């Protein structure tokens, strides 16, 4: 089987993709990005994905396609929808994209894809035990791994802490919305990660999302028993993980 695949990362504001070297965990050629169509409806997004793939100079017709998406995904069916149309709920996304692209497609939750990239190619490589990957952005995405094996669709960003869905207080969007300084935000992250640690006793936390580039501003302020480290693949993690899981699903 080819050591290359196409990875697509769909978000509420942007859709990005690239051809991936599945052996090295690196992008081949340029990453292409398009705006997510207004309203985020399934057929509109599928057409943008097809257009994006047609613009990848290294893409070949026989390459597998993996797509990560902001939803709970079970057997290719999207069971929720974050920052996109509610028409996705209960939709066979695998079938939608397969029909639009004319080739087999594997759809997965976006945080799971980012986690797979870190476990396979990044900060979690060769780490035994329980690893919890979190992505701090508009919300809080999470992915759980036991000895490198994914436990899919762990929506731990929505833990109820202090009587509220805590991603509304601890996400990077909350920091920006409330104009919190790094120390104030770190206090909220401390509450969040300490709760996760009390519930799951992980061996390692990995923190991703765009803000992980500034990890020195907040991670050293957190006091936990488990190590907590920044992700290595950052904004390419979804693309890499989606492509890797497309290959795995095709076996």
């Amino acid at each position: 089987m080819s050591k290359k695949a196409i990875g697509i990362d769909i978000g509420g504001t942007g859709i990005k993709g690239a051809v991936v070297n599945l052996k090295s965990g690196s992008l081949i050629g340029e990453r292409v990005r398009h705006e997510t169509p207004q309203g985020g409806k399934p057929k509109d997004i599928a057409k943008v994905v097809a257009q994006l793939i047609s613009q990848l100079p290294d893409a070949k017709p026989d390459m597998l396609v993996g797509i990560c998406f902001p939803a709970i995904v079970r057997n290719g069916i999207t069971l929720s929808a974050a920052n996109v149309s509610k028409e996705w709920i209960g939709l066979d996304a695998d079938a939608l994209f397969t029909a639009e692209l004319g080739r087999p497609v594997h759809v997965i939750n976006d945080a799971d894809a980012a986690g797979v990239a870190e476990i396979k190619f990044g900060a979690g490589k060769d780490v035994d035990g329980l690893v919890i990957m979190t992505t701090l952005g508009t919300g809080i995405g999470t992915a759980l791994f036991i000895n490198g094996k994914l436990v899919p669709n762990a929506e731990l960003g929505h833990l109820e802490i202090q009587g509220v869905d805590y991603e509304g207080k601890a996400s990077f969007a909350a920091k920006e919305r409330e104009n919190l300084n790094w120390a104030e935000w770190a206090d909220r992250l401390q509450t969040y990660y300490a709760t996760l640690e009390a519930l799951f006793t992980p061996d390692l936390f990995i923190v991703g999302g765009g803000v992980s580039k500034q990890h020195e501003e907040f991670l050293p302020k957190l006091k936990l028993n488990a190590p907590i480290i920044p992700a290595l693949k950052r904004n390419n993690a979804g693309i890499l993980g989606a492509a890797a899981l497309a290959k795995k699903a095709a076996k």
Side-chain angles (χ1 to χ4, degrees):
M1 186 173 289
S2 173
K3 294 179 181 177
K4 300 176 185 177
I6 297 167
I8 303 292
D9 185 349
I10 296 174
T13 58
I15 300 171
K16 54 195 177 185
V19 177
V20 173
N21 182 321
L22 296 171
K23 186 174 182 180
S24 65
S26 59
L27 303 189
I28 299 172
E30 292 296 317
R31 187 177 73 178
V32 175
R33 185 186 185 278
H34 285 258
E35 295 295 312
T36 301
Q38 190 170 8
K41 293 188 175 183
K43 289 184 179 179
D44 294 339
I45 286 180
K47 290 184 183 303
V48 171
V49 169
Q51 182 183 2
L52 188 155
I53 290 174
S54 73
Q55 295 171 340
L56 296 174
D58 297 287
K60 306 298 181 190
D62 60 343
M63 282 183 181
L64 299 170
V65 177
I67 297 176
C68 66
F69 190 80
I72 297 169
V73 183
R74 180 184 294 160
N75 299 323
I77 297 173
T78 44
L79 302 179
S80 64
N83 303 308
V84 289
S85 169
K86 300 304 180 187
E87 292 179 15
W88 287 95
I89 299 174
L91 181 72
D92 189 337
D94 274 9
L96 170 74
F97 286 111
T98 295
E100 182 67 35
L101 301 179
R103 64 175 106 192
V105 176
H106 182 61
V107 179
I108 186 171
N109 170 268
D110 52 359
D112 285 350
V116 166
E118 291 299 325
I119 291 293
K120 191 172 178 62
F121 306 116
K125 189 174 182 180
D126 299 325
V127 176
D128 291 328
L130 173 60
V131 177
I132 299 181
M133 166 83 178
T134 62
T135 56
L136 301 174
T138 304
I140 299 177
T142 60
L144 267 63
F145 297 85
I146 303 289
N147 294 326
K149 302 293 185 182
L150 173 66
V151 181
N153 296 309
E155 293 286 309
L156 300 179
H158 295 293
L159 282 178
E160 184 176 316
I161 304 172
Q162 300 172 349
V164 299
D165 180 337
Y166 210 69
E167 84 164 9
K169 291 178 71 69
S171 67
F172 183 63
K175 177 188 184 303
E176 292 191 310
R177 182 175 63 248
E178 299 182 43
N179 198 28
L180 303 175
N181 62 37
W182 291 110
E184 291 168 334
W185 188 46
D187 282 343
R188 297 189 183 186
L189 292 176
Q190 176 68 36
T191 298
Y192 174 69
Y193 286 108
T195 301
L196 272 185
E197 187 163 62
L199 291 171
F200 293 96
T201 317
D203 295 281
L204 177 67
F205 286 110
I206 301 173
V207 180
V211 72
S212 63
K213 288 186 246 184
Q214 297 168 277
H215 61 90
E216 293 179 354
E217 298 283 358
F218 62 96
L219 287 189
K221 301 181 190 300
L222 305 183
K223 307 302 179 188
L224 303 163
N225 293 316
I228 183 165
I229 62 175
L232 295 180
K233 296 302 180 180
R234 296 187 178 137
N235 284 336
N236 289 333
I239 293 172
L240 295 171
L245 286 163
K247 180 181 179 181
K248 183 176 180 182
K251 288 183 178 179

